[in-house]
Amino acid sequence: MTPATDIIRTMGPAPWRPGYFRRIRIYLNEMYPLPKRVLFSALAYVSLAALLRRVNRVDAPLSLLVSFIGIWSFFAVMLILRLMDELKDKEIDSRLFPYRPLPSGRILESDIVFSMAAVIIFYLAANLWAGPAFWMALVVLGYCLIMFKHFFIPHILRRSLLLTLATHNPVVPLLLSYALTLFAIGNQLPLADLNWPSSVFVVVMDWAPVFAWEIARKIRSRDEETEYVTYSQIFGRVGSVLIAGGAQTVTFFIGLYFAWTLSLSLAFITLWCAGYLIPIWAYARFIQNPTPATSKLGPYAEAYLLIVLAVQIIGALSN
């Protein structure tokens, strides 16, 4: 028996590690659940395109190919951002969230890098079919990559939650603007011929609840605050709630504007108002009784976002 064999026998069998596909499935289940993200991507693109079709008086139905490209692009960009965050925040996550897949060792950093590269390739490949909208897709990707580099001022951004919000949140209206461009090209509409005031209102209406969710998910009661910086630390409990609620109110009133100008159905108005009351009720409850039980405002903001997108489709299809 050789010395090498003796060493192997002494060490015993190598520890088993699941393969890449099993590891990435664990990651996606915990950090990017596919059914939920696919549903959101479909709602995000279809709702925006359907209402743009209505305000720009386009008679043709939505193109299946263009819709697929739009849905996939929303899904891919959100996944790219999620994977980038894993690498950007790995030091913070190892301290504050050690149970997550990457800090806990259940997924490897190389898995994140490989997955991100693969999604970027498929994102660009799909948009090769999008005509000139490919260049807008490239702009969105470029902005994501600059975000990944912390706009080349990582030490400054890591110390300022507000500066991070100001530099990172614009990727949302950029992505929505990409969808607007894709819609126009898919319907052979020159950009100059779009109803720009109403089209911009559609973009803002869909952007504002995403901004509100970003604020709401980082609001905590006093007993929950840690070294993790939240908006409730910066603006206070009432101030942070007013910012999130204010953004959602912008969406609410733009929706009422469309209900008036497009003569949307009573069902749209009823559902629109009912959806708006959900986060407002959660905010009022939290302000009145700020406890760990009432501070979970992110799910209410997310629910409002999904309601906005779903009701938007109803409005676009109503007579």
Side-chain angles (χ1 to χ4, degrees), residues 13-26 100-112:
W16 178 82
R17 184 190 294 275
Y20 165 78
F21 289 104
R22 185 169 296 185
R23 292 195 302 271
I24 201 65
R25 185 174 66 182
I26 292 171
R100 288 182 175 177
L102 184 58
S104 66
R106 288 175 293 136
I107 189 171
L108 306 177
E109 187 172 327
S110 58
D111 297 334
I112 300 292

Side-chain angles (χ1 to χ4, degrees), residues 58-290:
V58 174
D59 295 326
L62 296 179
S63 163
L64 290 179
L65 175 61
V66 173
S67 296
F68 171 79
I69 294 172
I71 292 168
W72 162 248
S73 294
F74 270 83
F75 178 87
V77 168
M78 291 189 298
L79 180 53
I80 290 167
L81 292 174
R82 177 65 261 171
L83 293 169
M84 286 179 173
D85 281 348
E86 294 295 337
L87 301 177
K88 286 163 48 182
D89 301 336
K90 61 183 179 180
E91 294 180 4
I92 296 175
D93 288 352
S94 64
R95 296 198 321 268
L96 301 180
F97 308 105
Y99 52 86
R100 288 182 175 177
L102 184 58
S104 66
R106 288 175 293 136
I107 189 171
L108 306 177
E109 187 172 327
S110 58
D111 297 334
I112 300 292
V113 174
F114 174 79
S115 301
M116 187 167 64
V119 176
I120 288 173
I121 290 171
F122 284 115
Y123 165 74
L124 293 175
N127 277 282
L128 288 174
W129 296 87
F134 173 81
W135 301 110
M136 191 63 192
L138 207 58
V139 169
V140 173
L141 178 61
Y143 197 89
C144 292
L145 293 173
I146 296 174
M147 288 170 58
F148 180 55
K149 291 296 184 180
H150 294 279
F151 289 82
F152 306 102
I153 49 172
H155 299 297
I156 297 175
L157 288 182
R158 287 188 181 121
R159 293 196 301 266
S160 175
L161 180 60
L162 294 182
L163 189 56
T164 299
L165 176 69
T167 54
H168 286 52
N169 192 258
V171 75
V172 178
L174 262 183
L175 182 58
L176 294 171
S177 298
Y178 154 79
L180 170 60
T181 305
L182 182 65
F183 163 81
I185 290 170
N187 286 278
Q188 299 181 340
L189 282 174
L191 292 177
D193 292 344
L194 289 175
N195 180 345
W196 276 106
S198 292
S199 297
V200 170
F201 274 162
V202 174
V203 170
V204 173
M205 186 172 72
D206 287 353
W207 173 25
V210 178
F211 175 85
W213 170 79
E214 178 61 34
I215 301 294
R217 72 189 185 95
K218 293 182 181 179
I219 297 175
R220 294 181 177 178
S221 65
R222 183 175 299 174
D223 295 338
E224 296 174 287
E225 298 288 11
T226 63
E227 65 175 296
Y228 184 76
V229 181
T230 61
Y231 293 107
S232 46
Q233 289 178 0
I234 298 172
F235 299 113
R237 182 177 73 252
V238 176
S240 53
V241 162
L242 287 176
I243 293 171
Q248 290 160 332
T249 300
V250 169
T251 289
F252 175 68
F253 279 112
I254 292 177
L256 293 183
Y257 165 78
F258 282 131
W260 173 54
T261 56
L262 300 177
S263 301
L264 301 183
S265 66
L266 180 61
F268 171 86
I269 298 173
T270 302
L271 293 172
W272 195 256
C273 293
Y276 175 68
L277 292 176
I278 291 175
I280 299 303
W281 169 81
Y283 298 150
R285 184 184 64 160
F286 173 65
I287 290 174
Q288 184 179 15
N289 183 30

